Amino acid sequence: MKMKLLDGKKCAESLVTDIARKVTGYVESGLRKPHMTIILVGKHAPSESYVKSKVGSCEKAGFESVLIRLPDTISEAELLERVATINNDPTTDGLIVQLPLPRHINQQNVINAISPEKDIDGFHPTNFGRMTLGQKAFRPATAYGICKLLQYYNIPVKGKHCVVIGRSNIVGKPISIMLSNDFDIGNATVTLAHIETPRELLLDETRRADIVIVAVGIPGFITEDMVKEGVVMIDVGINRLENGKIVGDVDFEHVAGKCSWITPVPGGVGRMTVAALMINTLMAYQNNFNLA
Ligand code: NAD
């Protein structure tokens, strides 16, 4: 099987170029630029790199971005106050509180405190609920990015058997809902597997899946014997090995040959997550200015 790469870098660049074109039009008509605010608590190396790529993408899209760095000693109450201030700032369209947060801060309390109108990560219960019900919402960025990547490469999803492995609130759960919903990229028959899924059942499912989406955080989790010839493989994992190399959850070297399409790591889903954040921020901005 001659596999083809689902190039997240190329797709993300194309989406951001489209966004930049729209922003140029809005600014030429006298509007301010879209504005993203990111709160980063503490010094977590992977978060530093994710935030850097979000700020870089804002520049390319023609957005303003502000990065607020807070010490990891900040209390939950103080952080919630900062969130409330940004919620009330009409010049900010989208707010991201970079996760993970230090252990003494309840992550869900912070997510719940972000205004749903500025929740470009799509993690707030209002957006998650609306998305689940098939209503207009900010869709969780990584899941939305995967949909956009499938769309860009015209990968058929409707009627396909899709297996999602991992049920996190930020990836596995939302992508399983989105692909099974009656969305433009959806209408698949979806199985959601997780840590309590018996191994034999998992193998039964992955071996007959048309599309496998894996988000477990274990290098080499998907092996050649687990998938059928021609599978579309979406690797969400980002794992840093001891030698510093970044790898996904798929044993790429041995699995790629069986795939019709596969995402590389890096350069796959990670890029698309940032692109989806840009789409959500543009949507927040358009909502603020009653644009189409
Ligand atoms: P998580 O780390 O919160 O949870 C892991 C999930 O994997 C759980 O739902 C668990 O049930 C499941 N799991 C663990 N072991 C399993 C097993 N043996 N069999 C079946 N399921 C098993 O999940 P997460 O936050 O979605 O992160 C998963 C991976 O995706 C990590 O590597 C993370 O870095 C990466 N990630 C990447 C992006 C991106 O933009 N590419 C975004 C978010 C997360």
Side-chain angles (χ1 to χ4, degrees):
M1 165 77 47
K2 183 148 171 37
M3 70 83 183
K4 290 174 258 177
L5 278 186
L6 291 164
D7 186 339
K9 183 169 181 281
K10 184 172 156 202
C11 176
E13 281 171 2
S14 148
L15 291 171
V16 170
T17 301
D18 281 351
I19 292 170
R21 201 173 301 125
K22 286 190 184 127
V23 170
T24 301
Y26 293 141
V27 171
E28 280 173 2
S29 74
L31 297 176
R32 66 161 172 79
K33 294 177 173 183
H35 184 127
M36 179 193 287
T37 297
I38 305 169
I39 295 180
L40 178 59
V41 181
K43 289 187 166 32
H44 177 248
S47 292
E48 291 281 352
S49 111
Y50 300 146
V51 164
K52 194 173 159 204
S53 103
K54 288 167 193 175
V55 169
S57 220
C58 281
E59 267 170 42
K60 288 186 190 136
F63 295 1
E64 297 280 1
S65 68
V66 168
L67 172 59
I68 300 175
R69 289 178 177 274
L70 299 172
D72 58 9
T73 49
I74 192 168
S75 70
E76 185 176 315
E78 285 170 312
L79 179 57
L80 291 176
E81 257 177 53
R82 295 299 291 254
V83 168
T85 304
I86 298 161
N87 281 344
N88 292 320
D89 173 6
T91 63
T92 287
D93 302 296
L95 168 61
I96 294 170
V97 178
Q98 185 67 42
L99 303 178
L101 292 168
R103 279 166 189 266
H104 66 276
I105 297 177
N106 181 315
Q107 207 152 278
Q108 199 58 54
N109 287 348
V110 176
I111 290 170
N112 291 1
I114 296 172
S115 160
E117 284 77 36
K118 296 188 200 277
D119 168 41
I120 51 173
D121 261 326
F123 295 160
H124 189 282
T126 297
N127 282 311
F128 204 99
R130 291 179 65 90
M131 175 278 290
T132 302
L133 294 169
Q135 299 175 11
K136 187 178 174 192
F138 296 117
R139 299 182 188 181
T142 300
Y144 193 21
I146 293 170
C147 293
K148 285 285 172 191
L149 188 60
L150 292 167
Q151 184 180 45
Y152 183 79
Y153 282 98
N154 291 314
I155 310 285
V157 173
K158 186 175 173 178
K160 297 296 177 186
H161 175 208
C162 177
V163 175
V164 177
I165 315 170
R167 61 175 163 195
S168 70
N169 288 343
I170 62 170
V171 185
K173 205 176 289 171
I175 192 65
S176 70
I177 295 167
M178 286 163 73
L179 290 184
S180 57
N181 254 347
D182 181 13
F183 288 165
D184 45 354
I185 310 297
N187 288 300
T189 300
V190 180
T191 301
L192 178 58
H194 47 76
I195 194 149
E196 300 295 346
T197 304
R199 182 77 188 164
E200 280 311 309
L201 180 54
L202 178 70
L203 292 178
D204 278 354
E205 289 290 321
T206 57
R207 282 177 180 156
R208 55 198 174 91
D210 303 307
I211 302 172
V212 173
I213 299 177
V214 59
V216 297
I218 302 173
F221 181 84
I222 296 287
T223 48
E224 193 182 355
D225 58 315
M226 290 177 74
V227 294
K228 73 177 183 188
E229 198 74 29
V231 68
V232 175
M233 178 61 63
I234 308 289
D235 189 352
V236 184
I238 302 179
N239 309 296
R240 188 181 293 271
L241 301 182
E242 276 180 11
N243 62 10
K245 200 175 167 212
I246 301 285
V247 298
D249 290 345
V250 176
D251 173 6
F252 189 95
E253 191 189 338
H254 298 103
V255 173
K258 274 181 110 172
C259 302
S260 53
W261 294 91
I262 184 167
T263 55
V265 179
V269 175
R271 291 287 190 143
M272 294 307 300
T273 299
V274 182
L277 283 172
M278 298 295 128
I279 298 173
N280 280 348
T281 309
L282 186 72
M283 188 167 106
Y285 169 86
Q286 290 170 328
N287 291 344
N288 282 340
F289 288 97
N290 289 320
L291 303 165

